[in-house]
Amino acid sequence: MQDWQSVTVRRSPASRRSVRLGSRWKTFRKNRFLLLLTMPMVLFIFVFKYIPMFGVIVAFKRYQFNKGLLGSDWVGFSNFRFLLDSPDLWRIVRNTLGYNSVFIGMNLLGALVIALLLYEITSRSMLKVYQTVMLFPHFLSWVVVAYMAYAFLNPRSGMLNQAREWFGYAPLDYYNLSDPWLYIFPLAQWWKEVGMGAIIYYAALMGVDPAYFEAAKIDGANKLQMLWHISLPFLYPVMTILTILAIGNILDADFGLFYQLPMNSTTLYETTDVIDTYIFRALTVNGDIGISGAAGLIKSTVGFVLVIGTNWFVKRRNADNALF
């Protein structure tokens, strides 16, 4: 007689499917309010990101307005050759990668330091003041920032040239000199965007249980030790995710920054010209949006590969900090 403990209950495929559906339904009901909170962003991504993906075929067509997207003639990879065969390809790729690499490093370090300083502020009223002051530049248009910068860089009456003359130096025509923009761009971008990153890191710090810091104080740990062993480990996942996403967008130059801030000065292209501004000028000459579509497809493909590759590298080092 077969022992009753050795009998295995075998469910049919339909029964197993029913159990899985029941488990998923319980999970959905448990998290329904959290899922409801994500719906606005899910709809936003679907409407503005996934639905327009159909238009990627414009990169392989010579778009004509009277024929429409589907009726325009196919040209294969001709639109891609415009960018890949350009004699200025090295310059615009070098500038795009170089500036964005500096931006990623400066924003990461600056936002982290500011967030850690904000966490040490005990006055709620002063904390709100500091947060508002740092976040305000993020919402300014680059057109406004460009004219603010012009007040400093004006060759005749700019504040920087007035200061140079006061110290006995000759004024500089910043809008005809390429080298200063190697420093102006990172400073302007850091001033405008570091506040947003600092708020994100500060929000992550607010999620840390204060009991960790209290226990560390009882054990005699100083501020630096608590920073190194408590604050930073809790921030590593957020830092990693934001860095992965930033690397995925490393070919997406901020058009407003590189076009508006230098006032589109033709003498500065050596250090101010990036992929986005180059494609914009090409469109104003021949008006073929297929070229712009090809450039966008190249950037999206490279960004996708970089996100996958960076996430794979992070996952091999520490799977808990990976994006997926």
Side-chain angles (χ1 to χ4, degrees):
M1 183 176 179
Q2 189 176 9
D3 188 2
W4 65 273
Q5 294 181 342
S6 64
V7 177
T8 303
V9 178
R10 296 183 179 180
R11 294 191 178 96
S12 64
S15 177
R16 290 196 298 268
R17 192 180 305 112
S18 177
V19 171
R20 287 196 300 267
L21 290 176
S23 177
R24 292 175 181 175
W25 175 247
K26 290 180 180 179
T27 303
F28 174 79
R29 291 191 60 186
K30 180 180 178 181
N31 301 311
R32 61 187 183 276
F33 295 111
L34 294 176
L35 294 173
L36 185 61
L37 289 174
T38 65
M39 286 306 298
M41 184 54 65
V42 171
L43 292 176
F44 176 85
I45 296 295
F46 178 76
V47 172
F48 293 101
K49 299 295 183 179
Y50 282 93
I51 293 179
M53 286 180 67
F54 172 76
V56 75
I57 62 175
V58 75
F60 304 94
K61 289 195 170 191
R62 181 176 291 108
Y63 181 78
Q64 294 177 317
F65 181 77
N66 58 340
K67 293 184 178 180
L69 182 60
L70 297 178
S72 299
D73 299 330
W74 287 90
V75 294
F77 292 93
S78 298
N79 292 326
F80 295 88
R81 296 193 187 99
F82 169 81
L83 182 62
L84 298 178
D85 294 343
S86 172
D88 301 318
L89 178 64
W90 161 246
R91 183 189 69 196
I92 60 178
V93 172
R94 177 201 63 193
N95 290 343
T96 304
L97 291 177
Y99 282 123
N100 281 337
S101 298
V102 173
F103 295 165
I104 292 173
M106 289 184 60
N107 289 343
L108 174 64
L109 182 60
L112 182 62
V113 171
I114 293 174
L116 292 171
L117 293 176
L118 287 176
Y119 191 72
E120 297 298 324
I121 298 177
T122 56
S123 174
R124 296 183 62 87
S125 58
M126 293 305 300
L127 180 62
K128 292 179 180 179
V129 171
Y130 291 138
Q131 289 176 334
T132 303
V133 170
M134 289 188 303
L135 199 58
F136 180 73
H138 174 77
F139 298 100
L140 291 178
S141 168
W142 277 116
V143 177
V144 176
V145 177
Y147 282 100
M148 293 171 60
Y150 188 74
F152 286 90
L153 306 177
N154 188 295
R156 296 183 179 179
S157 59
M159 296 180 185
L160 288 182
N161 279 327
Q162 290 181 3
R164 288 179 60 86
E165 291 178 350
W166 192 80
F167 284 104
Y169 295 97
L172 296 177
D173 187 358
Y174 291 98
Y175 292 94
N176 284 308
L177 295 174
S178 298
D179 292 343
W181 292 93
L182 295 173
Y183 309 98
I184 295 173
F185 281 139
L187 289 175
Q189 200 276 343
W190 187 85
W191 171 79
K192 191 172 185 297
E193 301 297 340
V194 71
M196 179 60 73
I199 295 299
I200 295 175
Y201 289 133
Y202 177 74
L205 283 173
M206 293 300 293
V208 180
D209 191 346
Y212 290 105
F213 297 100
E214 294 174 0
K217 288 181 180 179
I218 294 174
D219 291 338
N222 55 34
K223 290 286 186 181
L224 184 60
Q225 291 173 327
M226 288 189 286
L227 167 67
W228 188 258
H229 295 287
I230 300 177
S231 299
L232 289 180
F234 276 101
L235 289 176
Y236 285 153
V238 180
M239 294 166 57
T240 304
I241 291 173
L242 292 181
T243 302
I244 291 174
L245 296 177
I247 292 176
N249 293 321
I250 199 168
L251 289 182
D252 286 332
D254 192 333
F255 177 81
L257 170 63
F258 293 100
Y259 185 83
Q260 297 290 349
L261 201 63
M263 301 293 183
N264 194 30
S265 177
T266 58
T267 59
L268 302 179
Y269 286 165
E270 182 63 28
T271 55
T272 64
D273 202 15
V274 291
I275 295 177
D276 292 39
T277 55
Y278 184 81
I279 295 300
F280 174 77
R281 290 198 307 275
L283 287 174
T284 58
V285 174
N286 53 35
D288 190 354
I289 67 172
I291 296 173
S292 178
L297 183 58
I298 291 175
K299 293 194 299 181
S300 298
T301 304
V302 173
F304 176 76
V305 173
L306 288 176
V307 167
I308 298 298
T310 308
N311 186 78
W312 174 82
F313 175 78
V314 171
K315 197 171 185 177
R316 286 180 62 89
R317 298 293 299 271
N318 189 344
D320 293 334
N321 294 341
L323 186 60
F324 51 86

